[in-house]
Amino acid sequence: MNNCKRQKCSECEFMRMYNYGNKIYYCDHEDRLDDMGKLGVDHLPETSPEWCPVKSN
């Protein structure tokens, strides 16, 4: 499994994107603490969010 502590969400296997007028990026990990899992609109954050479920691994 990828280590999100030292990587960007763009490198994480759980990052997904859909295009609904804008590119919407979200986390598809089943254990995420954020219900929506939203990472960003049109761009990803520089670091993984505090609620990232992979950070604790």
Side-chain angles (χ1 to χ4, degrees):
M1 189 177 294
N2 292 336
N3 185 349
C4 282
K5 287 181 182 178
R6 290 182 273 179
Q7 73 180 22
K8 296 179 182 181
C9 289
S10 62
E11 299 168 354
C12 187
E13 63 186 299
F14 299 107
M15 188 280 295
R16 303 286 187 267
M17 186 275 295
Y18 64 90
N19 194 340
Y20 191 69
N22 294 316
K23 291 181 181 177
I24 309 295
Y25 295 94
Y26 68 99
C27 176
D28 196 34
H29 195 286
E30 63 185 32
D31 294 332
R32 68 179 182 261
L33 298 176
D34 181 274
D35 288 338
M36 297 291 289
K38 188 174 179 182
L39 298 170
V41 178
D42 288 330
H43 66 280
L44 285 167
E46 290 294 318
T47 60
S48 57
E50 290 296 318
W51 52 262
C52 177
V54 182
K55 273 184 165 181
S56 60
N57 293 338

